[in-house]
Amino acid sequence: MSPERFWLSLLSLALLMGLSIGFTRVITALYAVELGAYGWQLAIVAFAQSIGMLLLARTAARWVDTTGPNKVFTAGSLWGLGICLTTPLFPSVAALALLTAMGSLAMPPRFVSINTIFMSQLETLGKQKAGWFRAAHIIGMTFMGALLATFVFPRVGAAYAFPLAAFIFVLNIAVFHVGIGRHPLPLRSHTTPTTPTNNVSLTRIPLVRKVALWEFAIQTLNAYFIFYIVIIVLRYLHLPETVAGIAVATQGCVFVGTLVCAGKCVVSHPMGSRRTGLALTALALLSLPVADTPSTIYLSAAGLGMGLGLLQIINLTDFADLGRSIGFSQAAYINALAGPGGGILGGLLGGLLEPWIAPQTLFLFFLPPVLALGFWSTNRSANVSAPN
């Protein structure tokens, strides 16, 4: 298979994976509301969507090492397919929460498998394309999945929406095996019997700490902005709903656009790109607490999207470098744990701290840890490396 065809298949699969995740999450939320879930019940259903990644990411990495990504990806997709077909058969909030938690176990095998493949092939495909893979996943999840779910569910209900989600899992399996599964996939290159594989040993590697902290920080900021900017605009600034929607769309579009367009610049000028990304993110965190008009909100959102996009490209290439030292499945496991962990924290933070700190002011509190992480990364970039 030519590299171009393989790359197209990989992007298509990333798009379909994002579509399956985004579509399933939104119809699950809509179904919970239809069943009469409220307050803490909605919170349980929302948390159940992420619990699988926290529980199974490490085990999924071991499965990929022992059996290869093909079987693991297929098994995870079949599990998700089965849960989607089962969910409408038990119309209660308790059953939905339980089945959602069970369905979330499909995510780690799929995520770790596809990221193992992506990291192992990035050197061949070109590091300047690092952001394209993440961009395709975000487009599928945030834009296509959410739009399709909000169009389909009100018209056909859970009885047909969940089988449609199962069909999307079938498409995932088909694209994987037709476009990717036949391609030779190096996994644990450059590893030795002394390569650390447990959590404590891995955290002793400076590059592991760096990529994990950055992934956690990027996803925390993304999740916090996407959720709480809506609350800030409506509840605190008393601006129209369209302002909130445009702010979220601006941040998302600029983030995705940066992932797609800035790869070559980041590869050519990694240190300058890191400083630029850090500066843009810091300026956005300074401006968001005082933004009180649509134009200032949109400008801050664009700055945050571009800054986090640059930092994301750098971190993806660092993950690929790490994979060549400790094994690509191990690097994918770290990515699978740090990213969703940051997303969960970002979603919870504003609600937990709102009685003491207004959500808009809380943007300032992200600034010191981001600057500290940037200073630490910049000063260690010359000598940070994983052991071979």
Side-chain angles (χ1 to χ4, degrees), residues 219-220 222-225 227-228 341-352:
Q219 300 311 323
T220 299
N222 259 330
Y224 184 82
F225 177 86
F227 187 81
Y228 288 102
I344 292 171
L345 178 64
L348 294 175
L349 207 54
L352 293 174

Side-chain angles (χ1 to χ4, degrees), residues 105-341:
L105 297 176
M107 185 59 186
R110 287 156 44 84
F111 189 89
V112 172
S113 296
I114 192 62
N115 275 278
T116 297
I117 295 169
F118 166 67
M119 292 176 191
S120 71
Q121 300 297 308
L122 186 58
E123 189 73 30
T124 303
L125 297 170
K127 288 186 175 181
Q128 70 275 11
K129 296 179 179 177
W132 293 25
F133 179 78
R134 183 61 60 86
H137 186 268
I138 293 171
I139 290 170
M141 181 172 65
T142 306
F143 300 110
M144 294 175 60
L147 287 174
L148 182 62
T150 54
F151 176 81
V152 168
F153 191 90
R155 289 165 174 80
V156 302
Y160 292 96
F162 280 97
L164 178 57
F167 177 71
I168 298 173
F169 276 102
V170 173
L171 291 179
N172 276 241
I173 297 172
V175 170
F176 183 92
H177 284 280
V178 172
I180 296 174
R182 300 173 184 177
H183 194 83
L185 303 172
L187 293 179
R188 295 181 62 85
S189 55
H190 304 298
T191 57
T192 71
T194 59
T195 299
T197 56
N198 63 72
N199 292 343
V200 176
S201 298
L202 284 172
T203 56
R204 295 195 183 112
I205 302 173
L207 186 55
V208 169
R209 295 198 299 270
K210 186 177 84 166
V211 297
L213 286 171
W214 269 120
E215 190 66 25
F216 186 86
I218 291 167
Q219 300 311 323
T220 299
L221 278 172
N222 259 330
Y224 184 82
F225 177 86
I226 289 169
F227 187 81
Y228 288 102
I229 195 64
V230 176
I231 295 173
I232 291 167
V233 167
L234 299 180
R235 184 183 296 173
Y236 290 87
L237 300 179
H238 307 291
L239 294 172
E241 291 88 343
T242 53
V243 175
I246 294 173
V248 172
T250 299
Q251 195 267 351
C253 289
V254 173
F255 182 73
V256 169
T258 303
L259 290 176
V260 173
C261 300
K264 187 174 292 187
C265 177
V266 170
V267 171
S268 301
H269 309 284
M271 189 60 67
S273 298
R274 185 185 293 278
R275 292 192 180 110
T276 302
L278 187 63
L280 287 170
T281 302
L283 286 173
L285 294 176
L286 284 171
S287 61
L288 279 166
V290 296
D292 56 2
T293 64
S295 58
T296 55
I297 293 171
Y298 302 155
L299 189 61
S300 300
L304 185 66
M306 184 174 293
L308 292 179
L310 290 171
L311 295 173
Q312 182 72 88
I313 296 171
I314 295 167
N315 213 44
L316 287 171
T317 60
D318 285 346
F319 264 117
D321 292 338
L322 178 66
R324 283 189 291 275
S325 296
I326 67 171
F328 294 110
S329 64
Q330 296 296 320
Y333 149 67
I334 295 165
N335 189 7
L337 205 58

